[in-house]
């Protein structure tokens, strides 16, 4: 058995592909730095992430598959599923070695599985845009929090920047402890820790003392509206959970007591 160890980054994965072709040795599996090594193996190679090598692989891949297929790979990577690294590695190898595009060959289990993962991540992207509930802080900044199953927040930044271009906002992934801040000019990545002065935001909800003076009223009006349009006789809890996953309820204004 042959194993490659890499830093669990996308550039690291592309570098692993480059190393495999250069060494003419292809791994049976990829391990992350810090993973326990198997008891028995024939070869172990540590991949040193190299942007130039990664770029060469990516440019080569651009000649073999479409832009949408490349987007499928990068979006599937955001699933953070344990097997996704090796899936993408095998896909890239097949794409490079094949005389024709493999992207619609759903008879190949790797192509099919990546398409399924892409669909799940894209569904999470849509949910993030559907269920955003901004809270307005006293300084005029709008704050929204989520706990997405997949790391889909980066896929929504363009939407939020375009949709809310005239207001400052923060969208934050509570599960992964990072987010994005838009200051009316550009979007930057941010992270709050327990010791920072913004640590109260880790709860995902603004404290009333930090809310804009009209925010509490707006929230109450939204709850009243939501309650008014709910027809008790037509309630279908199972369908409700299917359309609005329970993991989003914690940060929905209408679900707050």
């Amino acid at each position: 058995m042959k194993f490659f160890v890499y830093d669990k980054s996308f550039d690291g994965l592309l570098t692993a592909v480059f190393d495999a072709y250069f060494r003419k040795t292809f791994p049976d599996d990829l391990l992350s730095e810090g993973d326990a090594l198997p008891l028995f193996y024939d070869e172990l190679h540590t991949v040193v992430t190299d942007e130039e090598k990664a770029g060469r692989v990516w440019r080569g891949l651009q000649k073999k598959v479409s832009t949408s297929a490349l987007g499928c790979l990068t979006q599937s990577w955001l699933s953070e599923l344990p097997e996704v690294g090796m899936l993408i590695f095998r896909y890239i190898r097949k794409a490079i070695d094949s005389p024709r595009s493999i992207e619609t060959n759903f008879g190949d289990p790797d192509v099919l599985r990546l398409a399924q993962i892409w669909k799940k991540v894209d569904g999470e992207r849509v949910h993030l845009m559907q269920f955003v509930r901004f809270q307005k802080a006293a300084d005029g900044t709008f704050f929204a929090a989520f706990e997405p199953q997949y790391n889909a927040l980066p896929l929504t930044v363009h939407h939020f920047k375009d949709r809310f271009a005239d207001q400052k906002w923060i969208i934050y992934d509570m599960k992964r402890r990072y987010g994005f801040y838009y200051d009316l000019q550009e979007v930057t990545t941010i992270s709050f820790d327990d010791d920072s002065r913004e640590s109260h935001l880790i709860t995902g909800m603004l404290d009333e003392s930090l809310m804009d003076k009209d925010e509490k009223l707006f929230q109450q009006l939204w709850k009243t509206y939501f309650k008014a349009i709910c027809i008790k006789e037509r309630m279908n809890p199972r369908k409700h959970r299917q359309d609005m996953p329970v993991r989003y309820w914690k940060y929905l204004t209408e679900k707050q007591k």
Side-chain angles (χ1 to χ4, degrees):
M1 296 286 286
K2 300 179 179 65
F3 296 91
F4 280 16
V5 180
Y6 76 121
D7 64 0
K8 204 67 175 179
S9 69
F10 195 71
D11 277 350
L13 177 61
L14 295 178
T15 305
V17 174
F18 182 95
D19 286 359
Y21 277 95
F22 182 80
R23 294 162 55 88
K24 296 182 174 59
T25 300
F26 294 88
D28 296 293
D29 202 359
L30 297 172
L31 300 176
S32 302
E33 292 177 349
D35 284 352
L37 297 178
L39 291 177
F40 303 102
Y41 54 86
D42 299 317
E43 186 177 339
L44 184 69
H45 169 63
T46 299
V47 176
V48 179
T49 300
D50 186 308
E51 290 185 6
E52 183 179 346
K53 292 179 180 179
R56 288 179 62 179
V57 172
W58 190 252
R59 288 189 294 273
L61 197 57
Q62 287 175 321
K63 299 175 183 177
K64 304 293 290 189
V65 298
S66 67
T67 301
S68 60
L70 294 173
C72 176
L73 291 183
T74 55
Q75 195 158 316
S76 296
W77 172 258
L78 294 175
S79 70
E80 301 177 329
L81 293 172
E83 73 273 21
V84 75
M86 197 60 205
L87 272 171
I88 294 174
F89 185 100
R90 290 197 298 265
Y91 181 102
I92 293 174
R93 184 182 178 188
K94 290 173 182 178
I96 291 173
D97 293 347
S98 176
R100 60 185 63 87
S101 174
I102 67 166
E103 59 192 85
T104 58
N105 180 19
F106 298 111
D108 185 293
D110 292 332
V111 176
L112 176 62
R113 179 60 181 147
L114 280 173
Q116 293 169 338
I117 293 173
W118 169 85
K119 187 175 181 180
K120 290 180 179 180
V121 176
D122 197 60
E124 193 80 317
R125 175 188 65 85
V126 173
H127 282 150
L128 289 175
M129 294 188 295
Q130 287 176 327
F131 302 134
V132 61
R133 298 293 186 267
F134 280 108
Q135 306 165 71
K136 189 177 182 181
D139 67 354
T141 301
F142 288 82
F143 175 72
F146 312 93
E147 284 187 25
Q149 181 177 0
Y150 305 114
N151 187 20
L153 193 58
L155 303 174
T156 67
V157 171
H158 179 76
H159 165 79
F160 287 121
K161 184 178 179 181
D162 181 63
R163 179 67 178 80
F164 304 105
D166 60 346
Q167 59 194 45
K168 296 180 180 180
W169 48 255
I170 293 173
I171 50 175
Y172 203 76
D173 185 330
M174 308 300 294
K175 183 177 179 180
R176 296 166 184 82
R177 294 290 187 94
Y178 86 99
F180 297 95
Y181 170 60
Y182 175 62
D183 63 0
L184 302 181
Q185 298 295 327
E186 60 182 7
V187 177
T188 54
T189 305
I190 58 172
S191 181
F192 304 135
D193 57 48
D194 295 328
D195 298 324
S196 70
R197 63 187 181 87
E198 298 91 353
S199 60
H200 58 275
L201 296 179
I202 292 176
T203 65
M205 302 296 292
L206 290 178
D207 185 271
E208 288 188 19
S209 64
L210 300 168
M211 288 182 181
D212 180 81
K213 59 183 178 65
D214 293 324
E215 174 64 19
K216 191 166 180 62
L217 172 62
F218 291 152
Q219 289 192 11
Q220 187 57 50
L221 289 172
W222 177 245
K223 291 177 188 178
T224 302
Y225 167 75
F226 182 78
K227 185 176 181 180
I229 64 173
C230 286
I231 301 173
K232 184 177 180 181
E233 291 74 19
R234 294 186 179 180
M235 290 188 68
N236 185 337
R238 182 178 179 181
K239 184 69 164 61
H240 183 57
R241 288 192 296 271
Q242 180 180 334
D243 294 340
M244 184 183 287
V246 175
R247 63 181 178 275
Y248 289 98
W249 292 10
K250 183 178 178 181
Y251 305 110
L252 293 177
T253 304
E254 61 268 33
K255 293 293 186 181
Q256 303 303 310
K257 295 181 179 180

